Amino acid sequence: MTVTCVVDNTVCDHSSFWGEHGLAFLIETKSGCILFDTGRSGTVLLHNLELLGIGPEAINALAISHAHHDHTGGLPALLDQVAGIPLYAHPDLFRERFSRGKELKSVGLPLEKEALEQRLTFQLSAEPMEILPGVWTTGEITDRAEPEGRSAHHLVRGVEGWESDPYRDDMALVLETGRGWVVLCGCCHAGLLNTLAHVRRTFGVDIAAVAGGTHLLQADKVHLRRVVKVLKELGLPRLYLNHCTGQRAYVILAQALGDEIAPCPAGTTFEVFA
Ligand SMILES: [Fe+2]
Ligand SMILES: [Fe+2]
């Protein structure tokens, strides 16, 4: 199994990849090819896939971590070339999402549910699903005893007005690789520690590595110390962090964990998972 970061906020040094605030991973297995999230735009997604020598028609399944447009913005550009393939996600993916800054704006899916349903085969569940042999969705992260990866400006329409986004759809992937079990995160709005605890509880496995966005942007020092403590209790999984991890959190984790942490810009390929 090979995992490649296709889209991230940053790119590999001296590469021709394009960066944008978004995330997409490509997972290549003996059984097929999965695109996990689609970045913020089709322009960047298709450019970076082309650099990797991957045409959209080579993708056998799509998996989406959650609705936000930095993870789903590339979907429209793919649809004509991936028609009929399955889309794995949580049923709440189609709930409208908003961000309130100077003005209120929609930050959810770039297409209506009906438009996607005409082109893709929905595989929607709050329970874990096996996408291909060795690759599962986590299902909904229901137990959130640890801090979540929240942004105060993320809203949904509630019965009585605007509510904080509960991020019920936020999921990660779990990969059984040649080097152990890997958790591949999208944005970790459900919380990194909650996600890892859910994987341990649901899959009953030791986690060898964690890659992707961990949404520690707003994490204070107390929480980051807790993250370090839990990671040590988990046997120090190797970390390949990007997207919404936050530069300050990355530096603090690197100071505490040293060589166990590495960046994961667009163009990074994990051959260690082969
Ligand atoms: Fe998000
Ligand atoms: Fe994100």
Side-chain angles (χ1 to χ4, degrees):
M1 186 182 298
T2 303
V3 178
T4 301
C5 180
V6 182
V7 178
D8 179 48
N9 308 33
T10 61
V11 303
C12 283
D13 289 343
H14 308 296
S15 77
S16 299
F17 289 96
W18 290 347
E20 65 178 346
H21 178 78
L23 191 70
F25 280 107
L26 187 72
I27 303 151
E28 296 168 271
T29 80
K30 287 176 190 156
S31 311
C33 194
I34 301 165
L35 186 67
F36 179 46
D37 287 347
T38 65
R40 175 71 184 85
S41 71
T43 310
V44 172
L45 177 70
L46 294 180
H47 170 84
N48 289 359
L49 280 173
E50 189 178 349
L51 275 187
L52 293 166
I54 301 288
E57 65 285 348
I59 298 167
N60 304 107
L62 291 171
I64 298 293
S65 65
H66 69 304
H68 283 152
H69 60 177
D70 52 318
H71 298 254
T72 59
L75 269 173
L78 286 176
L79 284 186
D80 283 344
Q81 297 163 82
V82 299
I85 69 170
L87 169 71
Y88 289 82
H90 186 286
D92 250 21
L93 180 73
F94 303 100
R95 188 171 189 178
E96 281 186 294
R97 309 305 162 99
F98 297 90
S99 175
R100 182 158 52 198
K102 284 181 186 159
E103 56 190 35
L104 190 73
K105 59 180 182 182
S106 173
V107 293
L109 282 172
L111 291 167
E112 299 290 330
K113 182 177 183 181
E114 292 68 29
L116 285 170
E117 201 162 20
Q118 285 171 7
R119 302 294 188 89
L120 302 168
T121 306
F122 286 172
Q123 298 287 346
L124 307 176
S125 178
E127 300 298 321
M129 295 179 280
E130 186 171 30
I131 302 173
L132 289 174
V135 183
W136 290 264
T137 66
T138 56
E140 183 174 327
I141 315 298
T142 50
D143 188 343
R144 301 186 181 188
E146 302 279 357
E148 297 174 79
R150 298 202 144 270
S151 294
H153 55 271
H154 284 156
L155 302 173
V156 293
R157 279 188 227 273
V159 179
E160 296 181 3
W162 297 110
E163 296 175 356
S164 294
D165 191 336
Y167 307 115
R168 301 304 339 163
D169 55 336
D170 183 74
M171 302 196 304
L173 297 187
V174 183
L175 319 176
E176 186 179 15
T177 77
R179 295 290 179 92
W181 291 79
V182 176
V183 180
L184 198 56
C185 301
C187 231
C188 261
H189 289 299
L192 172 62
L193 297 187
N194 295 326
T195 300
L196 298 182
H198 173 90
V199 170
R200 294 266 294 154
R201 202 167 41 245
T202 307
F203 293 84
V205 296
D206 290 330
I207 298 166
V210 180
T214 57
H215 218 286
L216 294 170
L217 279 162
Q218 285 98 11
D220 59 23
K221 278 188 178 170
V222 173
H223 180 43
L224 290 171
R225 274 199 291 270
R226 170 89 182 131
V227 169
V228 169
K229 181 171 182 287
V230 172
L231 289 170
K232 286 180 176 173
E233 288 168 1
L234 290 174
L236 274 185
R238 179 108 174 120
L239 305 175
Y240 302 93
L241 306 186
N242 63 10
H243 184 45
C244 53
T245 297
Q247 292 174 351
R248 179 179 151 277
Y250 186 95
V251 168
I252 290 173
L253 292 178
Q255 284 170 342
L257 301 173
D259 288 344
E260 298 308 316
I261 180 169
C264 181
T268 305
T269 294
F270 303 111
E271 287 165 3
V272 292
F273 297 162

